[in-house]
Amino acid sequence: MTDYTYRFYVGKLADEQFICECDADDLMGEPIIGDMIELPITANIGDQDLYIIKQRIIYDNCIEFFCKLYDWEE
């Protein structure tokens, strides 16, 4: 099994903004499209925002996730 590095971005590919990076040990499981996740992973809970994973790209040793900020009013 490969130990992936996970990178999270807000926005779409080619127009993304980096949020954070973490290892598999920092997560309870590998996120999939549609999951909700609080980012940045290592920040205090008051400094995190809730995001929805919209896209992922898998590389040899890295998975990049492209997210959208969750809108509580939608």
Side-chain angles (χ1 to χ4, degrees), residues 4-54:
Y4 287 108
T5 298
Y6 298 98
R7 292 188 187 119
F8 295 89
Y9 301 88
V10 65
K12 296 181 179 182
L13 185 60
D15 192 31
E16 74 274 6
Q17 294 179 337
F18 181 75
I19 300 172
C20 68
E21 178 177 298
C22 68
D23 296 323
D25 295 339
D26 296 324
L27 301 172
M28 290 192 291
E30 185 174 297
I32 59 172
I33 293 172
D35 279 355
M36 299 171 92
I37 187 167
E38 292 179 332
L39 298 172
I41 297 290
T42 57
N44 293 327
I45 196 158
D47 297 328
Q48 294 176 327
D49 288 310
L50 189 61
Y51 291 87
I52 300 171
I53 296 176
K54 294 294 195 174

